[in-house]
Amino acid sequence: NYNVRLVLTHDGYFKKITAQSLRGNDEQKLKEGDYVTYVEDTDNLGTMFFLTNKAQVYRVPVAEFDVCKASQMGDFIPAKIKKFEDGELPILGRCMKTYENGHYLAFIFENGKGVRVPVSAYETKSARQRLSGAFSEASPIVAAFYVDKPVELILRSSADRAITISTELLPLKETRTAAGSVLMQLKPGKKRLTGLRLTMQTD
């Protein structure tokens, strides 16, 4: 076991960098137009969860990834896992060690609905790599994120309207494919939710 920094980019590149390597250079090499979506300092004993735009989740032990440097591109996840469908990309990465109570995966959908699902819903007796039905496919996904403490969300629609809501108000469902409840009223067929921003932590 050793300390590592885990990095995932929007285009699906993943890096496992040792703390020793970061002392020399921590500037991340990225493809043109790509950007970092997840960074976590942890160790080599956890399991990476990758939720994808095809509503699937893949679980890979951190130890199975080769160490690389910040100056390298890293592993392209669809090529590394080799079970991805055409056009499938990770939209959320998270290192998991336990399925703690009070920790959730939150999902915001284009139809204005949202939901929280406890991480325990992703625990299985077998160690299979891929789980189907990671979240609802009733509406296109706008954002997926890990919640371990309350934060404020700003939801923005195609009608240039926005609302602020705490993650504590997202409905909690035990089923991974729950469609959630309406967070922002939208005109059917005309308006859609287009963006989300996480802001300050609530008290």
Side-chain angles (χ1 to χ4, degrees):
N1 188 26
Y2 49 90
N3 294 329
V4 295
R5 176 169 295 175
L6 306 177
V7 178
L8 179 67
T9 76
H10 176 266
D11 288 351
Y13 287 88
F14 179 78
K15 305 180 190 185
K16 181 176 77 173
I17 310 168
T18 65
Q20 182 177 3
S21 173
L22 287 169
R23 293 192 190 106
N25 180 16
D26 62 355
E27 184 176 348
Q28 300 293 336
K29 179 179 180 180
L30 303 173
K31 276 178 55 181
E32 185 177 354
D34 197 8
Y35 55 91
V36 172
T37 57
Y38 162 77
V39 179
E40 184 176 3
D41 291 322
T42 181
D43 58 39
N44 201 43
L45 297 183
T47 298
M48 275 302 301
F49 276 53
F50 297 101
L51 277 78
T52 77
N53 56 352
K54 301 289 187 180
Q56 301 194 97
V57 58
Y58 297 82
R59 303 180 295 187
V60 184
V62 174
E64 290 189 8
F65 289 95
D66 294 330
V67 169
C68 72
K69 296 180 180 180
S71 58
Q72 296 175 296
M73 295 289 293
D75 287 305
F76 184 52
I77 291 301
K80 174 72 175 180
I81 295 178
K82 298 180 181 177
K83 293 182 179 179
F84 276 48
E85 302 172 9
D86 289 343
E88 187 172 10
L89 284 172
I91 60 171
L92 172 66
R94 181 74 190 190
C95 180
M96 299 276 220
K97 292 185 178 181
T98 61
Y99 298 88
E100 297 183 55
N101 291 332
H103 291 212
Y104 314 97
L105 295 179
F107 304 98
I108 307 295
F109 302 100
E110 196 176 90
N111 61 5
K113 292 185 177 183
V115 67
R116 284 181 298 159
V117 179
V119 294
S120 58
Y122 297 84
E123 186 175 13
T124 61
K125 293 182 179 179
S126 67
R128 64 185 186 273
Q129 187 181 57
R130 179 171 63 186
L131 297 178
S132 297
F135 54 84
S136 172
E137 295 185 89
S139 177
I141 189 80
V142 170
F145 51 97
Y146 184 88
V147 179
D148 58 1
K149 54 190 173 184
V151 295
E152 295 287 321
L153 310 176
I154 297 176
L155 308 181
R156 186 179 67 252
S157 78
S158 58
D160 290 330
R161 296 180 63 193
I163 64 169
T164 301
I165 186 172
S166 169
T167 51
E168 289 186 306
L169 298 180
L170 299 182
L172 178 60
K173 303 292 184 180
E174 298 292 330
T175 305
R176 296 199 302 261
T177 55
S181 301
V182 174
L183 306 177
M184 189 175 188
Q185 291 287 351
L186 305 170
K187 292 183 179 179
K190 294 184 178 181
K191 307 299 180 185
R192 60 190 178 89
L193 201 62
T194 59
L196 172 144
R197 182 186 297 272
L198 277 67
T199 62
M200 60 185 179
Q201 178 181 340
T202 59
D203 295 331

